Every structure is written in structure tokens, then in C-alpha cells.
Amino acid sequence: MKIKNILLTGVAALALASCNDYLDVTAPSSYTEEFVFSQKTEVERALNGVYAQALVKDLYGQAYQLTFNLNSDVDIQISSTSSHTHNSYSRFDCDDQGSEIYKFWTAAYNLIEYANKFVKSAEASALYNTADKEYMQWIGEAKCLRAMAYHDLVVMFGDVPFSLEPATSHGTDFVIPVFDREVIQDSLIKDLQKAAVNMTSTNSVTVEHCSKEFAQSLIARIALTAGGYSLRSVKEDAKSYGVMKRPDNWKAFYQTARDYADSVITAGTHSLKNTYQDVFVNECNYQVVNDDDPIFEIPFAKNSTGSTGYVQGPTYPSNEGKTNGPWGEVKGSVRLNAFYRYLFRDGDLRREFVNGMWYYALNEGSDSVSILTNYYVHNNKWAKIWTKESAALGNISTDNTGINFPYMRYADVLLMFAEADNELQGAPSEKAIKCLTEVHNRAFLDGDPEFIAQAQTDKETFQKAVLNERKWEFAGENSRWRDLVRTNTLAEELMYSFLRYYSAGMQSVQGLTGYEDAINEHDGLEYIDNLPSTVYYHQYKIEEVNAVGLRVISNQTKVPNQPNQLYGYTLDASYNFVDMYPNQTLKSLRIYNPYKSATRPVTSQITNYGFKATGWSSATFYDWGDGNTGSPKDQCKYSFYGFIRSDANGNIWLVRDGRIEQFSSILTADKLPVVRYILPYPNYAIQRSSGVYKNYYGY
């Protein structure tokens, strides 16, 4: 169970030290700033107030997990809207009127203001000079939370207002000056380097607190981002969407990233002992594990904060007056690209666990499960329904699950080291290969040695292997589009992501498009020109749990592991089928042919191995063409609207600096327009600054 939840009562303790322009809170007259920061119990309560600002829905509670997890070949928010909208962030088409950026911006700067006030007051206290280890740890935690918020603002908005001092130090209008992102990133790195020296290891403070390892990991992430590519404005051209650049001193940033990732690895406090699935199932069951993959989890409180497992997982509807199953409503609005599951290597356990192809409906007297035939699949990493005790949330619960979200994982640190080291060395080193191997091996029963052998070929092949590993590893963790930005591959991957949807839609009304060969070559797989029109599936409920907790059904006959034929089943080393889903209170589905075959399955292929199936059902997949227009349906045409889209006549258009140009053939990365992933400053911020803040990038 959770060792320590962040106490919301800390808000009141810190409010007295915050300006009323940010907080409408009046402090009790018995509390003064000097009193709070002279009493360790009050200082800890004030720190809890800093944490509380990170938990709100407009920041890490939901927006980071959903609204600003932008479209890619992994994560997706489908759109059928054929025109510009204020809030269409995920498809790279929005403006400064969007309400969600206003909320995110405000929440991020509220967290920063709380942290700035805490740090300034704590460092001015007499306790600061006592070398109290716990006190210095608390200052380090506040600095980590501040750096988190600034880092994510920089990634999303580019150059932003920046100060490590409270807003009151910038005059009565609180207009904080805008700094170049490299200055911000360099300042954050230096601030964290100083703080990390006095911070405590994870095994002492738990992963629900910022630890020394988290500070070092965050330094690595900020440095790797700073050394990579990002979209820079062209201030003399108001219409320009900008240009992709990396700083001249990028190698220095990469050196910092490698060194600090190596510090975490060398410390030996984290590992990948638990299975990939168990990392997330533990979080869904409020288990805090301090020596494994998670390094820092956003510490939500049950029935109080956090949407993790409510916005992810298979949908379960709410229905007034009826029992909503054991766990209440699940929105399931965090979705994965429909083609994401095709991009995995066969045998990868992550594919079966993460890609959710079913959902639930509420009926009188029973709950029904249905196959998901849509433009996406659910992200099943987290789900309320993975909780082992239904009483944990209750059958009328909705949001505020209290399930922690892993902001930093050890797998990320290993892959950051591998990426940075390979870039600096010009070839994969023994340690970089070991780091990649450690992450990849966890996902395969046999370790998949062929992949590791191929990855070692040269620098470019290894970099691609590391990026692929990150693609398979971090679905739903607001990582993929950022990785593509950093490596200047976002435009290329979005082009192929669009073409997969476009080709599937066209195939259902007109046949092959001519782009299939290019897609197959890019993906290294052949599937896009042979998608199944009919998929067979059956309901399944587990009946046996073995002594070590694995849900296993024994099979004495050696059967080849063919995930293309039995999607959702995995064979262990003894050729037992291992169930992939952590809770079988509700039925789930097993899919026979999610890839190519449209042949009805032979019943004996299941029943001979001891499975209890309810009989085969079938569903139509990838029927995404509009018979009236002879073109793909709107969801295929407009989900990447701000970068690439189609029209009713089947023409494809690219967006370059606000102008559309016709697309007729595959373009190399250097010929594609930039992706305007950078968000505009919210209009209210520009107005409050009296014109000091300005939007660029064609906004």
C-alpha cells in the first residue's frame, strides 16, 4: 500500500507565503512566514502544499496524461472535424483562445510560484544553516517540482517566462520576463545539480517523493531535451511556423545527460526486476515499490486526486440508478493509434497488455464485453478494473482514482543513457548495449537476442533501435511525440501515421493507394495492404491461478508461439498459456486474427488447450471508407489536421506555414514542413503582460 500520501492540508500552511494574485487565501493571523519556516512540522506541511499544486487535473492530474499527449504513431486523439478549432492541440491545430492551455499555463505557474515561495523562505530561515539533512531534502523536493513544471512548459511552449524568484519580485504587475529555452534549461540543470548533493535516496523517501535519483534523472531528461532539436521561432516572419534547430553546444548537454543517467544506474537503487505488466498493476493496486522501475510517481490520493486509470483502460459507462460494476465509471479516453499494435515485434509481452481491444457496457443484471472496432484501441496500462479489491474505489466512483502516475522510470534512464552515449561515441558502446538489452529483455520470454544483435550494427541503427524501444515502452506516458521532436523525426512519423489511416480507408472503397509499399518499407513489416476485414474473437474468463500468482492454463503439447493467430495469449518457457490481464472479475476478449487472416478459427485450436470460450463471434474492422465520396472517412482525413490532411476528393494536403500544398508522393524528412507542435501563449497571459509577451509560430 502507499507509504505516504501527500496531505492537502499543506496548502493552507504555504498559502500565507504566497501572493494573493495567485491564491485567494487569507492566512490565519497566528501564522507568519517566520513561524512556519522555523518549525520543521510546519515546513513539511508547506512542502505538501507545493506537491498539492502538481496533483490538480489541469496539470499532472489529467491534462498531462490526456489533453497534451499529442498525436503520433503511438498516442492519438481521433478527430472528424474538418475545420480549425481553438482546442485541437493533439492534431497540431489550435490558437491562443483555447481554454485548456489557459488552465495548464495557470496551473503550472501556480506550482512554480508555490515552489519559489517555499525555496526562498526555506533558504532564508535559520534552519537552512543547520545542515539538517531532512530540511535540505525538502528544499530539493521543491526544486524538483519546480523544474518539472518549467521543463514541461519549455517543451510545450518553447521560450517562456522564467524566474526562480516569487512573482512579487517582478513588480506589482507580476510580469515575469521571457527567457530563451537554453537559458532556462541550463539554469534548471545547475539548480538541480546543487540540490541533488543534499538529497536522499529513493529507498529512504519512497518514490512518492522527489529523491536524489529523481533529481539526477530529471537533469538527464532536461539535458537530453536541451541538446536535441526543437522548433524555434522566426521573429521577423510572423507567418512562419519556425525552424527545427539544435543548439551549437548540444554535445555538452548530451554529456550532462549521459553522466547523470549513469549516476542513477551506478547507484544501483533501481532495477527492472518486476514484469512490465506488474509495474502498472502495482500502481493500480496502490502498491508503492521503491527499488524497481518507478523513480518518481505523482502521488495522488485515493478518492481525492488524479485521473490515472479513469482516463485509461477499457471504457465502462456510468448509469444512474444501476450498479456500475465493481469499480464505477471508466472514461477510457486515453487512446492508442490503431496501427500501434502492428509496430511491435512478435513475442513482445507489452503488445498484448497495453493494446486494449474491448470495452464494457452496462446491462440489467450483467455486464457485457464487446470488441472495439474503431479508429483506436484503449491504453490498458492503467485501469480501475485492474484493482484486485473492488472496495478500493466503489461501484459508484468516477474520477479521482488516486492511482499514481510514473513521471520518471528507470527504463527511461537506461534508454536516455543509451541514446546520449551512442550520440557522443559515434557508435554503440558495451554499456549502451547493456542498457538497451535490459529494457528489451524484460518484454520477451526469450530476450529477443536477434533484435539486440541487429541493433549493434552502427550508430544510426542503434539510435533507431533505442527510439523503437521507447516507442514500445512508454505508450501513454507523454513521451513519443517528445522523442520524435528531439530527434527531428516528428514530421516523417506523422506523415506515415496519416498514410496508414488514409490507406486503410481508401482500401475499403477503392483498393490499394500506392503508398502501401512505402509504409511497409518504413515499418519493416508487411500488413497495411492485407488488413483483415473480419476479425474473430471470444469471451474468456480465467479459471486457474498457480502457486506463484501467474494465471496459467497448462498445455502438455508443444505449440508454436503464434501471436498473430492467438492474440492475447502468451506461451511461457514450458509452453503454458499465460494470461495477460491482471483481473478477471469481468470477462475480457481474446482475438484470433487481428493481423491478416480473415479465416474462421478452428474451435479445437482453443478448446484443446483447456480454454473456456463462449463461442466465436466476428466483427468488421478497418471499414473506414465513405462509399458516397469514395474517400476515407473524416476520422482518417482530419486527425492530423494541422500538419497533413485529406479532402472529400481524396487529395492529400500538407500544411506549410499556414498554407496548404498538395502531397502526391512520399517526401524525405528534409522536404517535409515543420510540425507546429509548439503551443501559443494563452491570450489572457498576453493581455495581462500589456504586450510584453508575444506569440510567434504563425499564431
Side-chain angles (χ1 to χ4, degrees), residues 533-550:
S533 59
T534 304
V535 171
Y536 294 91
Y537 63 95
H538 68 85
Q539 291 185 9
Y540 173 67
K541 191 169 183 179
I542 209 70
E543 293 193 349
E544 177 184 343
V545 178
N546 71 4
V548 295
L550 285 176

Side-chain angles (χ1 to χ4, degrees), residues 35-52:
F35 171 76
V36 168
F37 287 91
S38 66
Q39 307 291 320
K40 284 186 64 177
T41 55
E42 296 301 324
V43 174
E44 186 174 22
R45 292 182 68 227
L47 177 63
N48 287 340
V50 181
Y51 273 97

Side-chain angles (χ1 to χ4, degrees), residues 79-84 91 634 638 641 645:
S79 174
S80 60
T81 303
S82 59
S83 60
H84 162 77
R91 63 178 193 160
D634 289 351
Y638 303 127
Y641 185 86
R645 58 187 185 247

Side-chain angles (χ1 to χ4, degrees), residues 310-484:
Y310 173 72
V311 295
Q312 298 94 353
T315 305
Y316 197 110
S318 64
N319 199 321
E320 291 185 9
K322 295 182 180 179
T323 299
N324 294 338
W327 299 277
E329 180 186 26
V330 178
K331 279 295 185 186
S333 45
V334 171
R335 307 293 172 90
L336 298 176
N337 194 302
F339 299 97
Y340 178 48
R341 62 186 183 273
Y342 294 103
L343 306 181
F344 284 82
R345 291 173 65 85
D346 281 351
D348 193 324
L349 302 180
R350 294 169 294 198
R351 177 178 65 187
E352 276 68 37
F353 174 57
V354 173
N355 288 276
M357 297 178 67
W358 74 89
Y359 65 97
Y360 296 100
L362 184 65
N363 296 320
E364 288 286 357
S366 65
D367 300 304
S368 63
V369 57
S370 301
I371 194 167
L372 186 65
T373 58
N374 216 311
Y375 302 90
Y376 46 69
V377 298
H378 288 302
N379 184 337
N380 278 0
K381 259 186 183 176
W382 305 273
K384 278 182 172 186
I385 66 171
W386 295 165
T387 57
K388 296 174 183 176
E389 297 181 12
S390 59
L393 291 167
N395 61 11
I396 60 171
S397 71
T398 55
D399 207 345
N400 296 326
T401 63
I403 296 171
N404 285 354
F405 183 84
Y407 185 84
M408 184 71 72
R409 295 200 281 121
Y410 186 57
D412 196 352
V413 173
L414 291 168
L415 295 176
M416 284 193 290
F417 177 89
E419 180 179 341
D421 185 73
N422 180 62
E423 191 74 14
L424 291 168
Q425 301 284 356
S429 67
E430 182 178 347
K431 185 161 186 176
I433 295 167
K434 182 179 178 182
C435 288
L436 173 62
T437 301
E438 189 171 350
V439 179
H440 193 75
N441 278 5
R442 180 174 62 169
F444 290 84
L445 295 173
D446 64 355
D448 194 20
E450 180 184 0
F451 173 81
I452 299 301
Q454 292 173 346
Q456 302 177 39
T457 305
D458 52 40
K459 175 189 172 184
E460 288 71 27
T461 305
F462 189 78
Q463 182 192 40
K464 184 176 181 180
V466 171
L467 285 176
N468 276 335
E469 197 65 46
R470 295 185 65 87
K471 173 176 66 180
W472 302 322
E473 182 74 17
F474 298 114
E477 297 182 53
N478 207 322
S479 173
R480 179 60 173 172
W481 71 271
R482 297 171 182 235
D483 293 342
L484 297 175

Side-chain angles (χ1 to χ4, degrees), residues 20-31:
N20 285 333
D21 191 66
Y22 281 82
L23 305 168
D24 186 17
V25 176
T26 303
S29 59
S30 59
Y31 284 83

Side-chain angles (χ1 to χ4, degrees), residues 86 92 94 119 154 196 244 252 280 306 319 426 608 674 696 698:
H86 297 310
F92 314 100
C94 67
V119 172
V154 165
M244 293 296 288
F280 306 103
N319 199 321
N608 282 356
V674 298
Y696 300 96

